[in-house]
Amino acid sequence: MAAPMCSTGWRRYLLWLAHDHLEFRIPEIQSIALAVGSQMEICDSDYDLKSHPFVELRLPSEEDARKIIGRSFLSRCLLELWGTGQTAEELHQVLRDYPTELSAPYMRQDTSFRYHVAAFGKTLTMRRKRDLIDALDFLPFQGRVDLKNAEHTFYILEDYGDDPTKTPEEPYRTFFGRWIGDGQRKLIDKYSVRKRHFIGETSMDAALSFVMANMAAARRNSVVFDPFVGTGSLLVSSAHFGSYVMGTDIDSHIIHGWGRSTRHNKKWRGEDENIRANLRQYGLEHLYLDVLISDAARSVWRPCQLFDAIVTDPPYGIRESSQRLGTKDNNFVREDDCELHNPTKTAYTLSDLLTDLLNYAAQHLVIHGRLVYWLPVYRPDYSEKILPRHPCLRLVSNCEQVLSTDISRRLICMEKVKEYQESDSAEIVVNPYREHNAIRDKYLLLAKEKKQKQRTREDTHTKTKPSEKPTEES
Ligand SMILES: C[S@@+](CC[C@H](N)C(=O)[O-])C[C@H]1O[C@@H](n2cnc3c(N)ncnc32)[C@H](O)[C@@H]1O
């Protein structure tokens, strides 16, 4: 069994991850450590980190531990790990050996404590919970038991695995630790898009917006930019972590908050439905820099380092078209269009959009700044070669969210690692994004095929039905 402290003096912690967006959980926690300026070691584990809910970490201090769990949207809680064992005897022996100098401050007479018993993969009976607590009678707690406001909470945590068809009688492993803090999942409801002042068809849901802001290491006094800002969900989540925020969108209606409402009980958007009001709703207006009507295909900024992070959800062409200014044959804005709110637009292929986005990030991010964006993928096409690359940007993480059997989107996180030079440019080695609406066409084709199959199934069903019915003669 590993020692409670490693040679550097760091303590062991147990992170209990939420069973949600499994692939995103470890990259989220690694990015948070960076955002709060903490070092962190993820200990080797026998488990598959992508699917398993328990991860052992080593952290330099409890303060760092609190900061990290206090930002996570994909974690349930963090414990200071006192011991773990595959059997009750093994766990009890480890706890007996736990150094007194580490346990004593939490066991003193003038403190209060309580136990919390929980399990992954099984619902425990009250009897089982009581037995687990009783079995720890040998621990020399001197303080008062306080079930409501204890100073120290100790978790007994059993792991029955994630296969509901093979739940074992006894847990695979039991953990014991001191509670440090809970993740921030309770905030997901507060920030829910349903309760948001200004929303649109493609507003990003609150949980993923927070995960994106975490991946971008958004933090106090940094500047975060969204070039496809829409209703500003990513500005809200980044501002929640203290970043100053700004964005652009090609659609003047969305920037001004004009036009038809997407709420079912309202026809037109109200007076104050705009991004600034969204930030105000959460007390974050002081972090609003501005939003501009602008085409992401043509940067309004001189090439200089402006942003600590670019966090964005570009249009894939499925629910909204991807467009840029100009006409089919040339890339220029017509002079007589300059005064219009709605100048001539033309198709913007995903291939151009993605390479523009990476070039933009390479030019405008500070060194170590992050680009976080969604890449739509037709799953049968996927290989690492379709990931857009840039000599100034290093891939940090690439997590898949499956949307249907054949379509997914990947949350890509990149870090700027090199100063931009004019000769540097983005490329996609194997490029499935060249056609306009490349993903939309595949998506629609799949939907059509699915409908066709369903119709055929229904036809076969109705054709066979009459013969099943008894005829008048019979
Ligand atoms: C998927 S939506 C972004 C949604 C946003 N994250 C939110 O939470 O509301 C993509 C946005 O990109 C905008 N857009 C499309 N083409 C653009 C372009 N060339 N330049 C800037 N914005 C563009 C669309 O108007 C749309 O608002």
Side-chain angles (χ1 to χ4, degrees), residues 202-204 227-233 249-251 294-296 313-315 320 323-324 348:
T202 55
S203 297
M204 177 62 65
F228 301 96
V229 72
T231 58
S233 312
D249 201 289
I250 200 169
D251 183 348
S294 165
D295 179 0
D313 171 26
E320 77 288 77
Q323 293 183 312
R324 62 172 176 79
Y348 193 18

Side-chain angles (χ1 to χ4, degrees), residues 247-282:
T248 56
D249 201 289
I250 200 169
D251 183 348
S252 56
H253 283 73
I254 208 120
I255 291 292
H256 288 293
W258 292 336
R260 282 187 176 274
S261 170
T262 46
R263 293 182 199 279
H264 70 279
N265 53 352
K266 258 180 98 183
K267 193 160 182 201
W268 302 105
R269 287 197 169 115
E271 267 282 281
D272 196 28
E273 279 189 47
N274 52 48
I275 296 175
R276 187 176 197 134
N278 275 353
L279 285 145
R280 189 180 309 129
Q281 183 180 352
Y282 304 107

Side-chain angles (χ1 to χ4, degrees), residues 18 26 36 45 56 173 193 261 278 316 337 348 372 400 418:
I26 298 296
V36 303
S45 160
E56 198 182 315
R173 185 170 279 281
V193 171
S261 170
N278 275 353
Y316 316 147
D337 271 357
Y348 193 18
V372 176
E400 185 182 29
K418 173 174 137 4

